[in-house]
Amino acid sequence: QVQLVESGGGLVQAGGSLRLSCAASGRTFSMSTMATMGWFRQPLGKERQFVAGISNIGSTYYADGVKGRFTISRDNAKNTVTLQMSSLKPEDTAVYYCAADRGIITSNPSAVDYWGQGTQVTVSS
């Protein structure tokens, strides 16, 4: 069993920054066994969208709309994943979810192995 717990969400003005964290745990869990960690988001009334992913060797990839503004990182020793978000826009408003997968995270959320409970990010204009 794997638990993912997000933190760091909140209300921020447009142009501001937020840092989301995801703590992973489990009875015998080691994040190094997760090939990919990632973040998705779900705006109110819309489908869950891929935001960013990071492989076990640190390769990163992003959705087009966040490239250059968001940075994903992972620390396998601490079992944490972070999403640094800068130059936030009102359209970034969503519930942000941490994701973990034993394979490769793609833009298809239905294929993800594990999810966190989500954290709300609201960007005011």
Side-chain angles (χ1 to χ4, degrees), residues 16 30 33 53 83 98 103 105 108:
S30 170
T33 63
L83 185 68
C98 180
I105 289 177
N108 179 12

Side-chain angles (χ1 to χ4, degrees), residues 24-106:
S25 64
R27 196 163 66 89
T28 58
F29 175 77
S30 170
M31 204 169 74
S32 61
T33 63
M34 295 292 118
T36 315
M37 301 294 295
W39 290 90
F40 285 71
R41 66 187 180 188
Q42 189 163 15
L44 187 64
K46 296 186 179 181
E47 294 184 348
R48 197 166 294 191
Q49 309 163 347
F50 170 77
V51 174
I54 184 167
S55 74
N56 214 355
I57 60 171
S59 298
T60 59
Y61 49 109
Y62 300 91
D64 287 343
V66 306
K67 283 180 182 176
R69 300 189 298 121
F70 291 11
T71 301
I72 187 172
S73 59
R74 68 189 281 174
D75 186 332
N76 285 347
K78 296 182 179 179
N79 285 344
T80 58
V81 182
T82 60
L83 185 68
Q84 179 67 48
M85 305 185 294
S86 303
S87 302
L88 284 162
K89 306 175 182 179
E91 51 263 44
D92 294 319
T93 295
V95 177
Y96 282 71
Y97 295 91
C98 180
D101 201 285
R102 288 162 291 186
I104 298 174
I105 289 177
T106 69

Side-chain angles (χ1 to χ4, degrees), residues 8-12 16-20 83-86 88 121-122:
L11 174 64
V12 65
S17 299
L18 276 178
R19 182 180 178 91
L20 304 183
L83 185 68
Q84 179 67 48
M85 305 185 294
S86 303
L88 284 162
V121 171
T122 303

